[in-house]
Amino acid sequence: MTTKAMLQFVSRDKEMPAKRKAEARKGDFLEIYDDFNDEKAALQAGRCSQCGVPFCQTHCPLQNNIPDWLMLTAEGRMQEAYEVSAATNTFPEICGRICPQDRLCEGNCVIEKGFESVTIGAVERHITETAFENGWVKPPQPMSERTETIGIIGAGPAGLAAAEQLRRQGYQITVYDRYDRVGGLLIYGIPGFKLEKEVVTRREALLRDGGIRFELNCQIGDDISFDQIKKKHDAVLIATGVYKARDIELKGKSDSDDQIVPALDYLTASNRLGLGDNVAAHASGQLDVKGKNVVVIGGGDTAMDCVRTAIRQEAKSVTCVYRRDRANMPGSAREVMNAEEEGVKFEWLSQPTGLARDADGKVAGVICQRSRLGAADTSGRQSPEPIENSDYRLDADMVIMALGFDPEDMPNMFHEPRLKVSRWGTISIDWRTMMTSVDGVFAAGDIVRGASLVVWGIRDGRDAATQIDGWLTRQAADKEISAEQKAAS
Ligand code: FAD
Ligand code: SF4
Ligand code: SF4
């Protein structure tokens, strides 16, 4: 039943949490948005019109029960709001911070037309932050232990969401990761100004407290064979993400150009520096952008993270080159706006074609050609068409390639030819069971979908956990029946 706390969107304006001024936030890697306080969260949640068919919910990959937790927040019933929110989302405080809400829940909020959407993400974050402050967020606590063990390869959001849910069911979980820290791209990809690292390590601590084991610095297929992992565990989940950087042809580019850098190398180095690690490529100056003209090629979230990182590292100039226009950019509109506020220059409808060099042969610029949008391609997006004789040069001491990622060659990496992959190299699964072509081996997250979003990783991890639980339970029942039949015969 709708209470009088709700439906306030006509008289109450949308307000986002306070955002730090660009000048202040450029000097550090701290998050740029504050958390709401209780009063603000309640007032903003109360703008919701409690739709009978909530489009916000249908466009949330986790199908979060948004209207209910908004109402509970508006009424100040925060513990109940947390319980409803946590029932469908393993890491709501992370999604509240970094989901592209403008493309998901908020972009589909019905009051968006005319009144501006409810600030769903910010309220979701506030609910879980309140829960942490009050000690309501607990480690996974199984009602009873099960003997089956599950090996999860990859400690990113997909692997961690599955680990948490399976541990709650009482399974013995080991998560393997080739990195030295838990979190996957939450730790080494996404910069602190979007997601402070403590938010991730706080979750890691809870998972460890709940009895989940982590084997880090452990590359499966290299340090331990995939076959050994399969033999060691009753079920295996592959959640290894996608890491092979895409490239483009640039006239005059050579493999020895150390001024041309893949986006993830740059972001990982920056995140490591922030975590206090020594980064040789930064110390040597190769990945240090201070005082340099930086050109970032690409228009997705990764490109936005690179340009905003370069601003914080005191680059002389930062330019983002994208071949389509602003409206067709794959990155979140909010992130583009934040980047512009921080001083990033955008070159829309511009296609890099080659490199310019100085007298010593060092890269000194990127040659670009202007383009216009032509006919739509198979995906329905208009394709950029080059404009003749429109070449121009951008000064560049460092060029960062942020053109997206493809999967590594999984069957070869795991020496497992039975592992079927799609024509894009992603692992093929039966979507009803989340199982791969190898019996007892499941897969989830980017390695199945291709480069996607954290919220989809969580969704897939949770779905895989449900399927693994069902499969192991059926296996145990089958074993019991055959043991009984053996005893009876
Ligand atoms: P990952 O997070 O990639 O985790 C996979 C893990 O598997 C890694 O820790 C890796 O080390 C490990 N691994 C791989 N191979 C092996 C092996 N052989 N043995 C052991 N371990 C292995 N999404 C959003 O929703 N919002 C954002 O703002 C956003 N920003 C992004 C910014 C950047 C720079 C990037 C690159 C991505 C961003 N994304 C964002 C996408 C999001 O991070 C991913 O979709 C998500 O992390 C995928 O989760 P995953 O668990 O499938 O994979
Ligand atoms: Fe919106 Fe993401 Fe939260 Fe779903 S998980 S409600 S899409 S912020
Ligand atoms: Fe509330 Fe908007 Fe969702 Fe409707 S679509 S229930 S107004 S948040």
Side-chain angles (χ1 to χ4, degrees):
M1 198 182 66
T2 303
T3 67
K4 64 179 186 325
M6 307 308 291
L7 280 88
Q8 301 300 323
F9 62 94
V10 182
S11 56
R12 196 175 293 152
D13 286 343
K14 171 179 178 172
E15 277 183 48
M16 285 293 285
K19 182 162 81 165
R20 292 196 294 140
K21 294 254 178 306
E23 268 321 302
R25 65 188 199 237
K26 272 158 57 174
D28 60 47
F29 280 82
L30 300 175
E31 285 174 9
I32 70 167
Y33 291 99
D34 264 355
D35 189 13
F36 275 144
N37 59 26
D38 283 350
E39 188 195 0
K40 214 20 138 2
L43 288 172
Q44 287 299 307
R47 294 181 68 244
C48 168
S49 78
Q50 297 285 281
C51 305
V53 181
F55 286 118
C56 56
Q57 180 169 8
T58 48
H59 285 85
C60 165
L62 291 159
Q63 305 278 289
N64 279 344
N65 193 346
I66 300 164
D68 279 11
W69 48 250
L70 287 174
M71 187 184 71
L72 292 164
T73 305
E75 292 177 352
R77 294 156 64 186
M78 295 307 284
Q79 190 160 4
E80 288 163 87
Y82 167 67
E83 274 154 20
V84 175
S85 159
T88 52
N89 192 350
T90 321
F91 308 124
E93 75 287 10
I94 295 180
C95 294
R97 285 170 164 89
I98 60 166
C99 269
Q101 285 105 8
D102 48 0
R103 302 205 304 261
L104 301 172
C105 53
E106 294 180 16
N108 291 281
C109 170
V110 293
I111 65 166
E112 167 76 6
K113 302 266 173 298
F115 294 97
E116 293 195 295
S117 66
V118 178
T119 48
I120 299 168
V123 174
E124 188 178 25
R125 165 184 168 162
H126 177 71
I127 292 169
T128 315
E129 287 306 327
T130 307
F132 270 107
E133 276 161 33
N134 286 282
W136 303 331
V137 189
K138 300 272 189 259
Q141 288 161 333
M143 303 280 277
S144 61
E145 294 291 342
R146 292 188 59 149
T147 52
E148 297 99 322
T149 78
I150 300 164
I152 296 180
I153 311 172
L160 296 182
E164 208 258 4
Q165 192 163 312
L166 287 163
R167 183 63 197 128
R168 280 185 196 281
Q169 306 289 327
Y171 293 103
Q172 311 308 311
I173 311 293
T174 307
V175 183
Y176 302 87
D177 203 291
R178 61 183 172 190
Y179 282 151
D180 53 346
R181 290 187 174 91
V182 169
L185 289 173
L186 299 176
I187 279 285
Y188 285 135
I190 299 170
F193 50 81
K194 277 166 54 183
L195 178 68
E196 284 173 19
K197 303 302 161 193
E198 290 71 24
V199 178
V200 184
T201 51
R202 180 173 64 178
R203 278 288 173 186
E204 176 191 347
L206 279 173
L207 297 174
R208 286 184 188 274
D209 287 351
I212 294 169
R213 285 180 292 277
F214 289 95
E215 283 204 23
L216 302 177
N217 296 309
C218 178
Q219 166 119 10
I220 305 305
D222 198 346
D223 298 314
I224 305 182
S225 74
F226 182 62
D227 204 41
Q228 273 174 290
I229 294 286
K230 271 192 312 191
K231 287 192 179 122
K232 197 166 162 194
H233 297 287
D234 298 290
V236 174
L237 175 68
I238 305 175
T240 46
V242 289
Y243 284 86
K244 199 165 83 187
R246 290 192 193 136
D247 209 354
I248 49 164
E249 290 281 313
L250 286 179
K251 224 179 282 165
K253 191 171 115 197
S254 131
D255 286 346
S256 57
D257 280 330
D258 66 357
Q259 293 160 275
I260 301 175
V261 178
L264 208 49
D265 289 7
Y266 174 61
L267 292 173
T268 304
S270 171
N271 279 312
R272 281 196 179 280
L273 283 172
L275 287 158
D277 294 354
N278 282 325
V279 180
H282 187 268
S284 70
Q286 195 223 338
L287 291 183
D288 185 357
V289 301
K290 190 168 179 176
K292 291 181 182 169
N293 293 308
V294 177
V295 169
V296 176
I297 302 176
D301 285 329
T302 305
M304 291 311 100
D305 290 348
C306 289
V307 289
R308 297 178 66 203
T309 297
I311 288 279
R312 283 160 176 77
Q313 292 182 343
E314 298 176 46
K316 186 171 164 196
S317 72
V318 183
T319 309
C320 177
V321 180
Y322 181 54
R323 63 201 181 117
R324 290 188 169 93
D325 61 1
R326 177 195 285 262
N328 284 287
M329 225 169 151
S332 154
R334 195 173 60 188
E335 293 307 303
V336 176
M337 184 186 72
N338 286 333
E340 279 182 324
E341 285 173 6
E342 289 164 11
V344 175
K345 202 170 150 251
F346 283 85
E347 289 284 336
W348 310 109
L349 291 165
S350 181
Q351 176 77 39
T353 55
L355 296 172
R357 295 184 185 272
D358 64 14
D360 301 328
K362 293 192 78 177
V363 175
V366 179
I367 309 298
C368 301
Q369 187 177 27
R370 300 271 175 214
S371 48
R372 66 169 86 80
L373 289 181
D377 61 16
T378 46
S379 70
R381 290 169 80 203
Q382 284 179 282
S383 301
E385 291 171 353
I387 300 174
E388 263 180 57
N389 301 321
S390 62
D391 287 8
Y392 67 103
R393 175 193 149 139
L394 290 170
D395 286 343
D397 309 301
M398 183 162 159
V399 183
I400 301 177
M401 299 288 201
L403 297 150
F405 304 94
D406 288 317
E408 284 144 310
D409 180 352
M410 294 307 293
N412 255 339
M413 190 193 220
F414 284 173
H415 310 289
E416 175 51 276
R418 288 179 303 156
L419 198 59
K420 283 210 179 107
V421 292
S422 70
R423 63 192 161 111
W424 300 279
T426 49
I427 293 183
S428 301
I429 57 166
D430 176 341
W431 279 98
R432 289 163 305 178
T433 62
M434 308 291 285
M435 203 189 279
T436 67
S437 50
V438 182
D439 200 40
V441 176
F442 300 76
D446 279 7
I447 191 56
V448 175
R449 288 182 182 274
S452 179
L453 293 172
V454 168
V455 64
W456 279 114
I458 297 172
R459 165 72 195 266
D460 291 349
R462 292 172 65 95
D463 284 352
T466 304
Q467 295 305 326
I468 292 171
D469 178 34
W471 184 76
L472 284 173
T473 304
R474 285 193 299 279
Q475 297 278 108
D478 287 351
K479 261 191 213 155
E480 218 170 283
I481 292 168
S482 55
E484 278 168 18
Q485 284 170 342
K486 215 170 167 190
S489 62

XYZ file of all heavy atoms in Angstrom, residues 48-51 54-56 66-67 70 108-111 118 120, ligand 3:
126
model
N 9.302 8.554 -5.508
C 8.879 7.413 -6.325
C 7.355 7.337 -6.389
O 6.675 7.519 -5.380
C 9.465 6.134 -5.726
S 8.759 4.638 -6.403
N 6.833 7.023 -7.573
C 5.370 6.972 -7.712
C 4.820 5.559 -7.501
O 3.646 5.319 -7.740
C 4.937 7.531 -9.062
O 5.161 6.569 -10.063
N 5.673 4.623 -7.065
C 5.228 3.265 -6.718
C 4.437 2.620 -7.867
O 3.301 2.146 -7.677
C 4.387 3.305 -5.426
C 5.171 3.788 -4.215
C 6.130 2.726 -3.673
O 5.739 1.802 -2.964
N 7.400 2.850 -4.029
N 5.062 2.598 -9.016
C 4.388 2.089 -10.214
C 3.919 0.643 -10.034
O 4.646 -0.182 -9.462
C 5.348 2.099 -11.399
S 6.064 3.697 -11.700
N 6.762 -1.589 -12.435
C 7.944 -0.724 -12.281
C 9.019 -0.996 -13.346
O 9.714 -1.997 -13.280
C 8.455 -1.078 -10.882
C 7.852 -2.396 -10.550
C 6.744 -2.697 -11.485
N 9.111 -0.096 -14.312
C 10.099 -0.277 -15.387
C 11.533 -0.198 -14.848
O 12.449 -0.748 -15.431
C 9.881 0.750 -16.496
C 8.677 0.439 -17.331
C 7.612 1.316 -17.389
C 8.603 -0.747 -18.031
C 6.485 1.012 -18.148
C 7.477 -1.063 -18.788
C 6.418 -0.170 -18.845
N 11.719 0.523 -13.743
C 13.051 0.568 -13.126
C 13.502 -0.858 -12.812
O 14.631 -1.244 -13.091
C 13.020 1.414 -11.848
S 11.783 0.846 -10.653
N 12.971 -2.454 -6.391
C 13.259 -1.032 -6.145
C 12.100 -0.292 -5.463
O 12.319 0.393 -4.449
C 13.685 -0.341 -7.465
C 14.947 -1.018 -8.021
C 13.924 1.160 -7.267
C 15.251 -0.694 -9.471
N 10.857 -0.427 -5.958
C 9.779 0.345 -5.314
C 9.664 0.046 -3.822
O 9.439 0.957 -3.017
C 8.516 -0.112 -6.048
C 8.967 -0.767 -7.295
C 10.376 -1.225 -7.098
N 12.566 1.622 -1.854
C 12.406 3.087 -1.835
C 11.367 3.474 -0.781
O 11.555 4.415 0.001
C 11.990 3.597 -3.213
C 13.086 3.595 -4.296
C 12.502 3.983 -5.650
C 14.240 4.532 -3.932
N 14.999 4.295 -17.077
C 13.684 3.757 -17.397
C 12.635 4.073 -16.328
O 11.528 3.530 -16.367
C 13.781 2.242 -17.605
C 14.544 1.943 -18.883
O 13.996 2.036 -19.969
N 15.834 1.660 -18.756
N 12.982 4.939 -15.417
C 12.031 5.351 -14.378
C 10.931 6.172 -15.051
O 11.224 7.099 -15.822
C 12.779 6.186 -13.337
S 11.720 6.995 -12.153
N 9.659 5.863 -14.764
C 8.570 6.494 -15.521
C 8.457 7.998 -15.277
O 7.956 8.715 -16.124
C 7.192 5.842 -15.247
C 7.140 4.436 -15.765
C 6.846 5.892 -13.783
N 8.926 8.479 -14.130
C 8.792 9.920 -13.910
C 9.930 10.702 -14.583
O 9.945 11.928 -14.543
C 8.693 10.288 -12.404
C 9.980 9.959 -11.663
C 7.493 9.624 -11.761
C 10.056 10.609 -10.292
N 13.889 9.110 -10.233
C 14.251 8.921 -8.826
C 15.744 8.569 -8.776
O 16.248 7.863 -9.660
C 13.417 7.768 -8.207
C 13.813 7.524 -6.755
C 11.924 8.052 -8.326
N 17.794 6.344 -7.830
C 17.751 4.963 -7.329
C 19.135 4.501 -6.836
O 19.267 3.944 -5.742
C 17.231 4.022 -8.441
C 15.816 4.437 -8.848
C 17.262 2.571 -7.983
C 15.311 3.772 -10.124
Fe 9.415 4.486 -8.650
Fe 10.495 5.252 -11.011
Fe 10.458 2.715 -10.323
Fe 8.167 3.913 -10.931
S 9.871 3.513 -12.326
S 8.542 2.492 -9.207
S 8.599 5.951 -10.125
S 11.567 4.346 -9.261
